[in-house]
């Protein structure tokens, strides 16, 4: 009997010792992972949100990923992180086809923050809006820019859960990482400084789309009177200055929009992208081809993939300057989709096709970098009265509601922002003497 008790005691002692060894080893592994998370571009400096975000990542590592949509993950979460040289490897690739609607992860509404973001002193700034819904949805310190040093494997494993352009779903780490590592870090996260002439500290911006509502509008002088002017896509001004002005401070584009508009709008006289002195170029990384374009652009060579044989640098006609070139962060783009423009399309099997238009991204970029924003050439309820583009003088075409955009939602969004006083939307039936630009 005593011998049996002695054996049982010895076995229990061994079990306790083994448990302590395993627990110590697991704790050390977690501490290493947690340290990487806090150091990653996702968290930046430690702040009041850091502990919550580490808790989120700890949950991902130790349990099966859950989707608020009711779907289950395609793999066990403990397989997300595998021991390697730096303790982690990229998660297995997720495919859009395996989700019947937008997968909503536990960390879906968590975004990188910029602690050096501009602190407006303008009393008319969006941050002072009295619209509680807009105020609640708005993140003034959202990370706007993607650049070298931000993308490590921990950050990749977060962003790889979101479809493009909101993340890197379906892509490989070694397809994206080399391009991101070439993107220069902005000298300042503030895109547009307050002009010395602005005694009230307000930055006034115009965002100009290509809508036919501007044809014969005579808005050119008013547009150019703003401190800064945003344009995007086929930003044709030559010959149309009276209606749209000729000033461009920020040009927003994707690789495809830059390439295709020069081909498609050449018949209207659009033979080069805007190249005003001091202009800032902002790129929307729409997909893999944009990162292939970026590599060609920033290395001064031909692009690969869809743009094989094309030299991106040639599109800038010698005016490209890395210090004036910016790439939007996937978190900013996802934040726009999730909080400011959530389409019903995200709930059906075409969810992965939807994204806001380049004009929408440009307008919200302006709202995060300016204080007073006026929008021209954006779609309105009476869009059917006008041609698709303001430069169509002879053969007019109508707006085509492509499935990758929700134009109905954009109409409602611009109207809501206008009625709330967040923007002033140019509409032909308005009495334009009420312009707030001085």
């Amino acid at each position: 009997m005593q011998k049996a008790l002695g054996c049982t005691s010895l076995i229990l002692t061994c079990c306790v010792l083994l448990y302590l060894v395993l627990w110590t080893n697991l704790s050390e592994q977690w501490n290493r992972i947690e340290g990487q998370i806090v150091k990653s571009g996702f968290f930046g400096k430690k702040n009041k949100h850091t502990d919550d975000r580490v808790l989120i990542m700890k949950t991902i590592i130790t349990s099966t990923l859950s989707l608020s949509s009711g779907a289950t993950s395609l793999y066990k979460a403990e397989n997300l992180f595998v021991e390697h040289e730096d303790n982690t490897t990229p998660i297995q690739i997720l495919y859009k086809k395996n989700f019947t609607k937008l997968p909503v992860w536990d960390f879906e509404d968590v975004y990188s923050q910029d602690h050096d973001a501009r602190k407006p002193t303008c009393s008319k700034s969006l941050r002072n809006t009295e619209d509680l819904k807009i105020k609640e949805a708005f993140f003034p310190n959202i990370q706007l820019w993607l650049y070298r040093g931000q993308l490590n494997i921990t950050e990749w494993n977060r962003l790889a859960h979101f479809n493009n352009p909101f993340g890197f779903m379906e892509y490989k780490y070694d397809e994206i990482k080399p391009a991101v590592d070439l993107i220069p870090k902005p000298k300042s996260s503030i895109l547009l400084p307050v002009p010395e002439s602005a005694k009230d500290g307000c930055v006034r911006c115009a965002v100009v789309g290509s809508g036919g509502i501007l044809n014969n509008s005579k808005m050119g002088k008013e547009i150019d009177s703003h401190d800064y002017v945003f344009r995007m896509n086929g930003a044709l001004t030559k010959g149309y200055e009276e209606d749209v002005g000729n000033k461009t401070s920020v040009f927003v584009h994707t690789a495809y929009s830059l390439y295709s508009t020069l081909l498609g709008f050449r018949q209207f006289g659009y033979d080069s992208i805007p190249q005003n002195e001091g202009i800032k170029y902002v790129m929307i990384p729409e997909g893999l081809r944009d990162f292939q374009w970026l590599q060609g652009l920033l290395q001064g060579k031909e692009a690969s993939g869809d743009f094989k044989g094309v030299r991106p640098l040639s599109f800038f006609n010698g005016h490209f300057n890395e210090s004036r070139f910016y790439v939007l962060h996937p978190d900013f783009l996802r934040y726009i989709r999730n909080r400011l423009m959530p389409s019903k399309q995200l709930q059906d099997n075409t969810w992965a096709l939807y994204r806001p238009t380049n004009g929408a991204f440009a307008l919200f970029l302006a709202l995060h970098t300016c204080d007073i924003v006026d929008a021209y050439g954006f779609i309105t309820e009476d869009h059917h009265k006008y041609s698709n583009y303001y430069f169509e003088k002879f053969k007019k075409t109508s707006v085509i509601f492509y499935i990758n955009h929700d134009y109905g939602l954009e109409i409602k969004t611009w109207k809501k922002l206008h009625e709330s006083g967040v923007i002033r939307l140019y509409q032909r039936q308005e009495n334009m003497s009420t312009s707030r630009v001085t």
Side-chain angles (χ1 to χ4, degrees):
M1 181 70 177
Q2 290 180 344
K3 185 176 181 181
L5 288 173
C7 290
T8 302
S9 177
L10 180 61
I11 292 171
L12 288 173
T13 301
C14 291
C15 289
V16 170
L17 289 173
L18 180 60
Y19 173 83
L20 290 173
V21 170
L22 289 172
W23 176 253
T24 301
N25 186 44
L26 286 171
S27 297
E28 290 176 352
Q29 289 185 40
W30 167 249
N31 287 335
R32 288 199 302 271
I33 294 172
E34 184 177 49
Q36 290 173 353
I37 293 170
V38 175
K39 291 176 183 177
S40 74
F42 178 25
F43 296 103
K45 300 177 182 177
K46 188 173 177 64
N47 57 72
K48 66 180 181 180
H49 301 295
T50 299
D51 292 338
D52 291 339
R53 293 176 183 178
V54 171
L55 178 61
I56 290 170
M57 294 304 290
K58 189 181 292 186
T59 301
I60 297 168
I61 293 171
T62 58
S63 64
T64 302
L65 279 175
S66 63
L67 307 179
S68 62
S69 62
T72 56
S73 62
L74 303 180
Y75 49 84
K76 294 291 185 180
E78 56 262 32
N79 293 329
L80 286 176
F81 298 91
V82 181
E83 287 295 315
H84 196 53
E85 292 180 1
D86 57 356
N87 298 325
T88 60
T89 56
I91 64 171
Q92 70 180 73
I93 297 175
L94 295 175
Y95 293 95
K96 293 177 283 191
K97 67 182 181 181
N98 291 321
F99 300 95
T100 58
K101 60 181 178 180
L102 175 73
V104 181
W105 311 95
D106 292 339
F107 47 97
E108 178 74 32
D109 204 37
V110 178
Y111 310 94
S112 301
Q113 301 288 304
D114 179 6
H115 300 283
D116 297 318
R118 174 175 166 258
K119 307 295 189 292
T121 58
C122 175
S123 62
K124 301 176 183 177
S125 174
L126 167 61
R127 302 186 193 203
N128 300 321
T129 179
E130 296 180 0
D131 189 302
L132 294 180
K133 287 187 177 180
I134 294 175
K135 199 164 189 173
E136 182 181 352
F138 183 67
F139 282 175
N141 297 326
I142 188 77
Q143 177 66 42
L144 296 177
W145 315 121
L146 178 67
Y147 49 81
R148 66 170 70 105
Q150 288 183 324
L151 190 60
N152 53 30
I153 294 182
T154 303
E155 179 71 342
W156 172 267
N157 285 343
R158 178 179 71 90
L159 291 172
H161 288 81
F162 310 114
N163 64 299
N164 61 288
F166 316 104
F168 303 126
M169 183 183 285
E170 294 194 342
Y171 300 151
K172 297 178 181 177
Y173 182 65
D174 57 8
E175 290 176 327
I176 306 298
K177 170 74 168 172
V180 174
D181 285 348
L182 293 171
I183 302 171
K185 180 179 179 179
K187 292 181 179 179
S188 171
S189 59
I190 299 173
L191 180 66
L192 301 169
V194 178
E196 293 181 3
S197 60
K199 304 302 182 184
D200 56 0
C202 297
V203 179
R204 294 168 169 78
C205 297
V207 186
V208 186
S210 56
I213 193 172
L214 287 176
N215 191 308
N216 200 35
S217 66
K218 307 296 190 294
M219 285 290 105
K221 186 176 180 180
E222 179 177 303
I223 289 171
D224 285 349
S225 69
H226 290 75
D227 298 323
Y228 302 103
V229 178
F230 287 67
R231 299 184 194 270
M232 72 292 301
N233 301 338
L236 177 59
T237 58
K238 187 177 180 180
Y240 302 89
E241 294 88 349
E242 187 177 17
D243 291 336
V244 301
N246 61 8
K247 179 179 179 179
T248 304
S249 312
V250 180
F251 179 60
V252 181
H253 65 283
T254 64
Y256 179 75
S257 71
L258 189 153
Y259 179 83
S260 64
T261 53
L262 282 170
L263 293 177
F265 297 155
R266 192 176 298 277
Q267 59 179 311
F268 301 108
Y270 188 59
D271 55 8
S272 69
I273 64 174
Q275 293 169 358
N276 303 53
E277 184 178 355
I279 190 173
K280 296 184 177 181
Y281 297 96
V282 176
M283 185 171 180
I284 302 169
E286 186 179 34
L288 177 60
R289 63 187 177 191
D290 293 83
F291 290 96
Q292 294 168 336
W293 177 279
L294 275 169
Q295 279 191 274
L297 175 68
L298 297 172
Q299 292 179 333
K301 63 181 186 181
E302 290 184 358
S304 59
D306 289 353
F307 295 108
K308 185 176 181 180
V310 176
R311 295 184 66 88
L313 203 57
S314 66
F315 288 76
F316 296 85
N317 296 331
H319 293 273
F320 181 78
N321 186 322
E322 284 192 2
S323 68
R324 292 186 279 107
F325 181 72
Y326 302 77
V327 178
L328 289 175
H329 197 287
D331 270 2
F332 175 70
L333 304 177
R334 194 174 80 261
Y335 151 74
I336 299 303
R337 179 196 68 182
N338 290 355
R339 288 187 149 256
L340 302 169
M341 299 198 72
S343 173
K344 292 180 180 178
Q345 186 178 335
L346 296 172
Q347 301 306 310
D348 65 37
N349 59 11
T350 63
W351 67 271
L353 295 175
Y354 168 70
R355 74 168 184 82
T357 61
N358 290 355
F361 286 138
L363 183 53
F364 281 114
L365 175 61
L367 285 169
H368 284 75
T369 54
C370 310
D371 298 303
I372 298 173
V373 176
D374 297 330
Y376 303 82
F378 279 71
I379 193 167
T380 54
E381 290 177 317
D382 60 346
H383 64 87
H384 58 277
K385 295 180 181 178
Y386 317 108
S387 60
N388 194 2
Y389 304 111
Y390 61 77
F391 42 78
E392 291 179 314
K393 289 188 174 181
F394 304 107
K395 184 181 179 181
K396 297 183 178 181
T397 61
S398 300
V399 179
I400 299 176
F401 281 41
Y402 293 106
I403 195 171
N404 61 325
H405 301 310
D406 189 338
Y407 290 102
L409 175 61
E410 297 206 3
I411 291 171
K412 293 177 182 177
T413 301
W414 311 148
K415 182 179 180 181
K416 168 66 175 174
L417 292 176
H418 174 78
E419 292 175 346
S420 301
V422 174
I423 67 171
R424 183 177 67 85
L425 176 67
Y426 171 68
Q427 300 172 84
R428 289 293 276 266
Q429 65 267 34
E430 281 189 335
N431 180 354
M432 299 312 294
S433 64
T434 61
S435 169
R436 64 184 178 195
V437 180
T438 58

